[in-house]
Amino acid sequence: MAGPRRDTRGIVDAPELFAQVRFRRREPAAGLRTYIEHYWLIDWDLSQPYASHVVPHPSVNLVFQRFEGEADFAEVSGIGLELFTQKLEGRGRVCGVQFRPGGFRPFAPDRPVAEWTGQRLLADEAFTPPAPPSDILGPADEDARVAALDRYLLALGPEPDPQAERAMALADLVRTDRTVRRVDELAHAAGLSPRSLQRLFAAYVGVGPKWVILRYRIHEALERAESDPRVDWAALAAELGYSDQAHLIRDFTATVGVPPTAFAPH
């Protein structure tokens, strides 16, 4: 596989985030790449508080966190249904694991992934042995932190699961193939009934296929809004499979909180 993706999809005002914090993506060990999109590492040392905003991907994250004046902790962050906002101040560090859509279940097979959706729970509710936050966050060397993540996740021994592999492949198809715009089209491509597809996504992805299709549309629209001051919104709406521009603007505004023109560069 190629290395970690370099796009900024989902990050609201990515240039401002990168100006405030040190943000990197790192590739996991080879034995984990089937299930994990990438690691994401953030360090900050701020003189003034800063709030970051992210339109979540259809992915579960395992997040090791260090905030000034608090004990280190780790939590499982299920798929966020709304705009995610995190206030950062002082000094801190985060080491995150973004699982591929469908890739979390082999690490926590006892519960359908939909039960994690919208939840942020301490990681020891998902994993045995519990995650060791200070072991991950403590090393000053970034490579050592990545190696600690690799050791911990490999030791969990994810169980191969054909249904997880199927869910991951279908979610990736939605992300990479713009012609897949409707649930019935995805079900046909999968050789499943729409109801069976819904059950597969609830058990392994955590949200329905329609939600995944819409979320990837919003990610693309946000990236275009921030990078191109001359976006033809009617043309982009048609390109993303919307019936008209108004539907795209409505979905975007409901997800991000402001219309896409608010992010256009000047």
Side-chain angles (χ1 to χ4, degrees), residues 57-260:
H57 287 253
S59 300
V60 177
N61 284 263
L62 169 62
V63 191
F64 298 86
Q65 302 175 67
R66 171 174 290 176
F67 294 97
E68 194 167 48
E70 301 180 19
D72 295 345
F73 67 101
E75 66 181 7
V76 172
S77 180
I79 294 174
L81 301 178
E82 300 176 345
L83 183 71
F84 175 77
T85 298
Q86 178 66 62
K87 183 180 179 181
L88 306 176
E89 54 188 332
R91 298 179 64 186
R93 170 175 292 167
V94 170
C95 297
V97 180
Q98 183 172 316
F99 293 88
R100 297 185 186 280
F104 176 73
R105 182 74 182 268
F107 291 84
D110 294 337
R111 297 167 64 178
V113 179
E115 291 189 10
W116 299 97
T117 298
Q119 304 291 319
R120 296 177 67 182
L121 302 170
L122 290 177
D124 57 11
E125 296 192 33
F127 303 123
T128 303
S134 296
D135 289 358
I136 303 295
L137 294 161
D141 180 68
E142 179 179 315
D143 290 343
R145 297 199 293 275
V146 170
L149 286 169
D150 284 341
R151 284 194 301 272
Y152 176 66
L153 291 161
L154 287 168
L156 291 175
E159 294 289 334
D161 184 336
Q163 289 294 85
E165 293 175 9
R166 190 178 202 182
M168 285 188 284
L170 290 171
D172 191 59
L173 181 65
V174 173
R175 178 169 62 178
T176 58
D177 187 345
R178 287 185 181 172
T179 67
V180 179
R181 298 172 174 174
R182 297 170 22 156
V183 173
D184 58 350
E185 294 169 347
L186 184 62
H188 179 75
L192 296 170
S193 69
R195 178 170 294 185
S196 294
L197 182 67
Q198 295 277 3
R199 287 197 295 265
L200 176 70
F201 269 57
Y204 285 90
V205 178
V207 289
K210 181 178 180 180
W211 192 96
V212 175
I213 292 169
L214 290 174
R215 180 50 52 93
Y216 281 140
R217 286 173 171 176
I218 297 302
H219 278 174
E220 182 159 352
L222 175 60
E223 188 173 54
R224 295 278 285 275
E226 293 192 324
S227 63
D228 184 355
R230 297 175 297 278
V231 176
D232 182 335
W233 290 104
L236 181 59
E239 186 179 321
L240 296 178
Y242 281 91
S243 57
D244 55 40
Q245 177 179 339
H247 281 84
L248 170 58
I249 302 300
R250 184 170 63 243
D251 279 358
F252 187 105
T253 304
T255 302
V256 182
V258 293

